[in-house]
mmCIF file of all heavy atoms in Angstrom:
data_model
loop_
_atom_site.group_PDB
_atom_site.id
_atom_site.type_symbol
_atom_site.label_atom_id
_atom_site.label_comp_id
_atom_site.label_asym_id
_atom_site.label_seq_id
_atom_site.Cartn_x
_atom_site.Cartn_y
_atom_site.Cartn_z
ATOM 1 N N GLY A 1 -10.449 -8.018 11.227
ATOM 2 C CA GLY A 1 -10.799 -7.187 12.369
ATOM 3 C C GLY A 1 -12.296 -6.982 12.474
ATOM 4 O O GLY A 1 -13.041 -7.201 11.512
ATOM 5 N N CYS A 2 -12.725 -6.579 13.670
ATOM 6 C CA CYS A 2 -14.137 -6.268 13.890
ATOM 7 C C CYS A 2 -14.263 -5.368 15.113
ATOM 8 O O CYS A 2 -13.336 -5.239 15.907
ATOM 9 C CB CYS A 2 -14.965 -7.545 14.075
ATOM 10 S SG CYS A 2 -14.622 -8.462 15.591
ATOM 11 N N VAL A 3 -15.429 -4.753 15.232
ATOM 12 C CA VAL A 3 -15.749 -3.951 16.407
ATOM 13 C C VAL A 3 -17.260 -3.986 16.602
ATOM 14 O O VAL A 3 -18.026 -3.917 15.642
ATOM 15 C CB VAL A 3 -15.223 -2.501 16.289
ATOM 16 C CG1 VAL A 3 -15.876 -1.749 15.135
ATOM 17 C CG2 VAL A 3 -15.391 -1.753 17.610
ATOM 18 N N TYR A 4 -17.670 -4.106 17.857
ATOM 19 C CA TYR A 4 -19.084 -4.118 18.232
ATOM 20 C C TYR A 4 -19.492 -2.708 18.626
ATOM 21 O O TYR A 4 -18.798 -2.038 19.415
ATOM 22 C CB TYR A 4 -19.285 -5.069 19.418
ATOM 23 C CG TYR A 4 -20.687 -5.074 19.974
ATOM 24 C CD1 TYR A 4 -21.717 -5.686 19.283
ATOM 25 C CD2 TYR A 4 -20.973 -4.480 21.192
ATOM 26 C CE1 TYR A 4 -23.017 -5.702 19.792
ATOM 27 C CE2 TYR A 4 -22.258 -4.488 21.717
ATOM 28 C CZ TYR A 4 -23.268 -5.103 21.005
ATOM 29 O OH TYR A 4 -24.553 -5.114 21.511
ATOM 30 N N LEU A 5 -20.614 -2.245 18.087
ATOM 31 C CA LEU A 5 -21.145 -0.914 18.394
ATOM 32 C C LEU A 5 -22.599 -1.041 18.808
ATOM 33 O O LEU A 5 -23.374 -1.734 18.151
ATOM 34 C CB LEU A 5 -21.049 -0.010 17.159
ATOM 35 C CG LEU A 5 -19.657 0.151 16.555
ATOM 36 C CD1 LEU A 5 -19.739 0.927 15.254
ATOM 37 C CD2 LEU A 5 -18.715 0.808 17.543
ATOM 38 N N GLU A 6 -22.973 -0.351 19.896
ATOM 39 C CA GLU A 6 -24.352 -0.397 20.361
ATOM 40 C C GLU A 6 -24.783 0.978 20.860
ATOM 41 O O GLU A 6 -24.086 1.608 21.664
ATOM 42 C CB GLU A 6 -24.505 -1.413 21.499
ATOM 43 C CG GLU A 6 -25.924 -1.534 21.997
ATOM 44 C CD GLU A 6 -26.096 -2.571 23.097
ATOM 45 O OE1 GLU A 6 -25.148 -3.308 23.406
ATOM 46 O OE2 GLU A 6 -27.206 -2.620 23.653
ATOM 47 N N MET A 7 -25.925 1.429 20.381
ATOM 48 C CA MET A 7 -26.497 2.683 20.866
ATOM 49 C C MET A 7 -27.000 2.478 22.292
ATOM 50 O O MET A 7 -27.746 1.539 22.551
ATOM 51 C CB MET A 7 -27.653 3.141 19.977
ATOM 52 C CG MET A 7 -27.232 3.648 18.606
ATOM 53 S SD MET A 7 -26.134 5.091 18.646
ATOM 54 C CE MET A 7 -27.133 6.293 19.519
ATOM 55 N N LYS A 8 -26.567 3.343 23.186
ATOM 56 C CA LYS A 8 -27.031 3.332 24.573
ATOM 57 C C LYS A 8 -27.374 4.764 24.924
ATOM 58 O O LYS A 8 -26.495 5.558 25.258
ATOM 59 C CB LYS A 8 -25.963 2.760 25.513
ATOM 60 C CG LYS A 8 -25.712 1.278 25.270
ATOM 61 C CD LYS A 8 -24.848 0.665 26.346
ATOM 62 C CE LYS A 8 -24.754 -0.832 26.134
ATOM 63 N NZ LYS A 8 -24.103 -1.510 27.241
ATOM 64 N N GLY A 9 -28.641 5.087 24.802
ATOM 65 C CA GLY A 9 -29.069 6.469 25.012
ATOM 66 C C GLY A 9 -28.492 7.347 23.919
ATOM 67 O O GLY A 9 -28.619 7.049 22.730
ATOM 68 N N ASN A 10 -27.805 8.435 24.321
ATOM 69 C CA ASN A 10 -27.186 9.350 23.361
ATOM 70 C C ASN A 10 -25.736 8.994 23.062
ATOM 71 O O ASN A 10 -25.040 9.755 22.395
ATOM 72 C CB ASN A 10 -27.258 10.796 23.885
ATOM 73 C CG ASN A 10 -28.686 11.298 23.913
ATOM 74 O OD1 ASN A 10 -29.451 11.043 22.989
ATOM 75 N ND2 ASN A 10 -29.036 12.005 24.969
ATOM 76 N N ASP A 11 -25.256 7.886 23.611
ATOM 77 C CA ASP A 11 -23.874 7.476 23.421
ATOM 78 C C ASP A 11 -23.796 6.207 22.597
ATOM 79 O O ASP A 11 -24.744 5.416 22.535
ATOM 80 C CB ASP A 11 -23.188 7.230 24.773
ATOM 81 C CG ASP A 11 -23.011 8.495 25.588
ATOM 82 O OD1 ASP A 11 -23.072 9.604 25.011
ATOM 83 O OD2 ASP A 11 -22.799 8.378 26.805
ATOM 84 N N LEU A 12 -22.639 6.010 21.981
ATOM 85 C CA LEU A 12 -22.357 4.784 21.249
ATOM 86 C C LEU A 12 -21.375 3.979 22.088
ATOM 87 O O LEU A 12 -20.288 4.476 22.421
ATOM 88 C CB LEU A 12 -21.756 5.102 19.877
ATOM 89 C CG LEU A 12 -21.505 3.919 18.955
ATOM 90 C CD1 LEU A 12 -22.834 3.275 18.532
ATOM 91 C CD2 LEU A 12 -20.712 4.346 17.736
ATOM 92 N N TYR A 13 -21.765 2.766 22.470
ATOM 93 C CA TYR A 13 -20.874 1.880 23.218
ATOM 94 C C TYR A 13 -20.027 1.108 22.215
ATOM 95 O O TYR A 13 -20.543 0.553 21.244
ATOM 96 C CB TYR A 13 -21.662 0.913 24.102
ATOM 97 C CG TYR A 13 -20.761 -0.085 24.780
ATOM 98 C CD1 TYR A 13 -20.040 0.276 25.922
ATOM 99 C CD2 TYR A 13 -20.591 -1.357 24.265
ATOM 100 C CE1 TYR A 13 -19.185 -0.629 26.527
ATOM 101 C CE2 TYR A 13 -19.732 -2.266 24.869
ATOM 102 C CZ TYR A 13 -19.029 -1.897 25.999
ATOM 103 O OH TYR A 13 -18.171 -2.784 26.590
ATOM 104 N N LEU A 14 -18.728 1.071 22.451
ATOM 105 C CA LEU A 14 -17.789 0.361 21.597
ATOM 106 C C LEU A 14 -17.203 -0.797 22.386
ATOM 107 O O LEU A 14 -16.729 -0.615 23.510
ATOM 108 C CB LEU A 14 -16.680 1.319 21.151
ATOM 109 C CG LEU A 14 -15.627 0.805 20.187
ATOM 110 C CD1 LEU A 14 -15.143 1.948 19.304
ATOM 111 C CD2 LEU A 14 -14.454 0.162 20.892
ATOM 112 N N GLY A 15 -17.246 -1.982 21.822
ATOM 113 C CA GLY A 15 -16.677 -3.145 22.491
ATOM 114 C C GLY A 15 -16.102 -4.125 21.485
ATOM 115 O O GLY A 15 -16.292 -4.002 20.276
ATOM 116 N N MET A 16 -15.389 -5.095 21.996
ATOM 117 C CA MET A 16 -14.875 -6.206 21.208
ATOM 118 C C MET A 16 -14.059 -5.727 19.996
ATOM 119 O O MET A 16 -14.106 -6.329 18.931
ATOM 120 C CB MET A 16 -16.030 -7.124 20.767
ATOM 121 C CG MET A 16 -15.620 -8.526 20.422
ATOM 122 S SD MET A 16 -17.051 -9.591 20.099
ATOM 123 C CE MET A 16 -17.711 -8.901 18.582
ATOM 124 N N LEU A 17 -13.309 -4.634 20.167
ATOM 125 C CA LEU A 17 -12.413 -4.207 19.089
ATOM 126 C C LEU A 17 -11.346 -5.281 18.940
ATOM 127 O O LEU A 17 -10.608 -5.565 19.881
ATOM 128 C CB LEU A 17 -11.779 -2.850 19.407
ATOM 129 C CG LEU A 17 -10.813 -2.323 18.362
ATOM 130 C CD1 LEU A 17 -11.545 -1.988 17.071
ATOM 131 C CD2 LEU A 17 -10.087 -1.101 18.872
ATOM 132 N N THR A 18 -11.317 -5.901 17.782
ATOM 133 C CA THR A 18 -10.476 -7.077 17.564
ATOM 134 C C THR A 18 -9.706 -6.948 16.271
ATOM 135 O O THR A 18 -10.269 -6.577 15.244
ATOM 136 C CB THR A 18 -11.363 -8.343 17.467
ATOM 137 O OG1 THR A 18 -12.218 -8.415 18.607
ATOM 138 C CG2 THR A 18 -10.528 -9.600 17.372
ATOM 139 N N VAL A 19 -8.420 -7.280 16.338
ATOM 140 C CA VAL A 19 -7.594 -7.397 15.143
ATOM 141 C C VAL A 19 -6.845 -8.717 15.240
ATOM 142 O O VAL A 19 -6.313 -9.063 16.304
ATOM 143 C CB VAL A 19 -6.604 -6.215 15.013
ATOM 144 C CG1 VAL A 19 -5.691 -6.399 13.804
ATOM 145 C CG2 VAL A 19 -7.353 -4.893 14.920
ATOM 146 N N SER A 20 -6.818 -9.455 14.153
ATOM 147 C CA SER A 20 -6.103 -10.726 14.113
ATOM 148 C C SER A 20 -4.675 -10.530 14.629
ATOM 149 O O SER A 20 -4.007 -9.562 14.250
ATOM 150 C CB SER A 20 -6.059 -11.253 12.678
ATOM 151 O OG SER A 20 -5.175 -12.334 12.562
ATOM 152 N N PRO A 21 -4.170 -11.423 15.494
ATOM 153 C CA PRO A 21 -2.809 -11.266 16.010
ATOM 154 C C PRO A 21 -1.761 -11.110 14.907
ATOM 155 O O PRO A 21 -0.812 -10.343 15.059
ATOM 156 C CB PRO A 21 -2.578 -12.546 16.820
ATOM 157 C CG PRO A 21 -3.947 -12.966 17.237
ATOM 158 C CD PRO A 21 -4.849 -12.580 16.088
ATOM 159 N N GLU A 22 -1.940 -11.790 13.790
ATOM 160 C CA GLU A 22 -0.983 -11.702 12.688
ATOM 161 C C GLU A 22 -1.060 -10.373 11.943
ATOM 162 O O GLU A 22 -0.145 -10.024 11.196
ATOM 163 C CB GLU A 22 -1.198 -12.849 11.689
ATOM 164 C CG GLU A 22 -0.856 -14.223 12.222
ATOM 165 C CD GLU A 22 -1.974 -14.856 13.045
ATOM 166 O OE1 GLU A 22 -3.115 -14.349 13.019
ATOM 167 O OE2 GLU A 22 -1.694 -15.849 13.743
ATOM 168 N N ALA A 23 -2.146 -9.631 12.114
ATOM 169 C CA ALA A 23 -2.336 -8.381 11.375
ATOM 170 C C ALA A 23 -2.248 -7.148 12.269
ATOM 171 O O ALA A 23 -2.537 -6.040 11.814
ATOM 172 C CB ALA A 23 -3.687 -8.420 10.654
ATOM 173 N N GLN A 24 -1.851 -7.319 13.531
ATOM 174 C CA GLN A 24 -1.784 -6.175 14.438
ATOM 175 C C GLN A 24 -0.610 -5.264 14.070
ATOM 176 O O GLN A 24 0.331 -5.676 13.410
ATOM 177 C CB GLN A 24 -1.686 -6.659 15.882
ATOM 178 C CG GLN A 24 -2.982 -7.285 16.334
ATOM 179 C CD GLN A 24 -2.976 -7.758 17.770
ATOM 180 O OE1 GLN A 24 -2.083 -7.446 18.545
ATOM 181 N NE2 GLN A 24 -3.985 -8.527 18.123
ATOM 182 N N ALA A 25 -0.721 -4.009 14.492
ATOM 183 C CA ALA A 25 0.281 -2.961 14.248
ATOM 184 C C ALA A 25 0.341 -2.569 12.769
ATOM 185 O O ALA A 25 1.371 -2.106 12.297
ATOM 186 C CB ALA A 25 1.658 -3.377 14.772
ATOM 187 N N LYS A 26 -0.768 -2.739 12.050
ATOM 188 C CA LYS A 26 -0.839 -2.332 10.640
ATOM 189 C C LYS A 26 -1.910 -1.269 10.422
ATOM 190 O O LYS A 26 -2.287 -0.999 9.289
ATOM 191 C CB LYS A 26 -1.127 -3.555 9.762
ATOM 192 C CG LYS A 26 -0.009 -4.572 9.777
ATOM 193 C CD LYS A 26 -0.320 -5.745 8.877
ATOM 194 C CE LYS A 26 0.816 -6.749 8.928
ATOM 195 N NZ LYS A 26 0.546 -7.920 8.100
ATOM 196 N N GLY A 27 -2.462 -0.713 11.509
ATOM 197 C CA GLY A 27 -3.443 0.360 11.383
ATOM 198 C C GLY A 27 -4.887 -0.091 11.291
ATOM 199 O O GLY A 27 -5.778 0.742 11.152
ATOM 200 N N ILE A 28 -5.142 -1.381 11.388
ATOM 201 C CA ILE A 28 -6.519 -1.877 11.278
ATOM 202 C C ILE A 28 -7.352 -1.420 12.469
ATOM 203 O O ILE A 28 -8.496 -0.991 12.304
ATOM 204 C CB ILE A 28 -6.531 -3.412 11.124
ATOM 205 C CG1 ILE A 28 -5.864 -3.794 9.798
ATOM 206 C CG2 ILE A 28 -7.959 -3.958 11.208
ATOM 207 C CD1 ILE A 28 -5.606 -5.289 9.634
ATOM 208 N N GLY A 29 -6.805 -1.489 13.664
ATOM 209 C CA GLY A 29 -7.528 -1.029 14.851
ATOM 210 C C GLY A 29 -7.896 0.444 14.741
ATOM 211 O O GLY A 29 -9.016 0.849 15.081
ATOM 212 N N LYS A 30 -6.969 1.252 14.250
ATOM 213 C CA LYS A 30 -7.247 2.680 14.063
ATOM 214 C C LYS A 30 -8.375 2.879 13.057
ATOM 215 O O LYS A 30 -9.241 3.729 13.248
ATOM 216 C CB LYS A 30 -5.993 3.407 13.576
ATOM 217 C CG LYS A 30 -4.905 3.527 14.611
ATOM 218 C CD LYS A 30 -3.682 4.179 14.012
ATOM 219 C CE LYS A 30 -2.485 3.967 14.918
ATOM 220 N NZ LYS A 30 -1.227 4.328 14.271
ATOM 221 N N GLN A 31 -8.377 2.093 11.977
ATOM 222 C CA GLN A 31 -9.440 2.224 10.982
ATOM 223 C C GLN A 31 -10.794 1.822 11.556
ATOM 224 O O GLN A 31 -11.809 2.453 11.262
ATOM 225 C CB GLN A 31 -9.110 1.373 9.747
ATOM 226 C CG GLN A 31 -7.959 1.962 8.955
ATOM 227 C CD GLN A 31 -7.700 1.205 7.679
ATOM 228 O OE1 GLN A 31 -8.621 1.008 6.889
ATOM 229 N NE2 GLN A 31 -6.463 0.782 7.474
ATOM 230 N N LEU A 32 -10.809 0.787 12.387
ATOM 231 C CA LEU A 32 -12.053 0.387 13.043
ATOM 232 C C LEU A 32 -12.554 1.497 13.966
ATOM 233 O O LEU A 32 -13.751 1.801 14.008
ATOM 234 C CB LEU A 32 -11.862 -0.924 13.806
ATOM 235 C CG LEU A 32 -11.724 -2.179 12.933
ATOM 236 C CD1 LEU A 32 -11.097 -3.316 13.724
ATOM 237 C CD2 LEU A 32 -13.075 -2.590 12.371
ATOM 238 N N LEU A 33 -11.646 2.126 14.715
ATOM 239 C CA LEU A 33 -12.032 3.241 15.595
ATOM 240 C C LEU A 33 -12.562 4.421 14.792
ATOM 241 O O LEU A 33 -13.568 5.028 15.172
ATOM 242 C CB LEU A 33 -10.832 3.712 16.427
ATOM 243 C CG LEU A 33 -10.584 3.066 17.766
ATOM 244 C CD1 LEU A 33 -9.423 3.756 18.476
ATOM 245 C CD2 LEU A 33 -11.806 3.059 18.639
ATOM 246 N N LEU A 34 -11.903 4.755 13.690
ATOM 247 C CA LEU A 34 -12.371 5.865 12.848
ATOM 248 C C LEU A 34 -13.751 5.581 12.282
ATOM 249 O O LEU A 34 -14.598 6.480 12.222
ATOM 250 C CB LEU A 34 -11.373 6.140 11.730
ATOM 251 C CG LEU A 34 -10.070 6.799 12.161
ATOM 252 C CD1 LEU A 34 -9.085 6.832 10.998
ATOM 253 C CD2 LEU A 34 -10.308 8.194 12.708
ATOM 254 N N ALA A 35 -13.994 4.337 11.878
ATOM 255 C CA ALA A 35 -15.324 3.975 11.372
ATOM 256 C C ALA A 35 -16.370 4.133 12.472
ATOM 257 O O ALA A 35 -17.468 4.634 12.225
ATOM 258 C CB ALA A 35 -15.312 2.541 10.833
#
């Protein structure tokens, strides 16, 4: 999995949140969001 983060002013832009199709529904996306 991976996620792109970019500072834009006072906000953090989040993009390209990706989890391998074989590993989806195992909480990886949630962990990326929490990070």
Side-chain angles (χ1 to χ4, degrees):
C2 68
V3 63
Y4 175 74
L5 304 173
E6 182 178 353
M7 289 299 301
K8 293 190 174 189
N10 292 319
D11 293 341
L12 184 66
Y13 175 80
L14 183 149
M16 202 173 68
L17 179 67
T18 307
V19 177
S20 169
E22 292 83 13
Q24 290 182 12
K26 295 181 181 178
I28 295 170
K30 290 176 195 168
Q31 289 185 53
L32 288 161
L33 270 185
L34 288 172

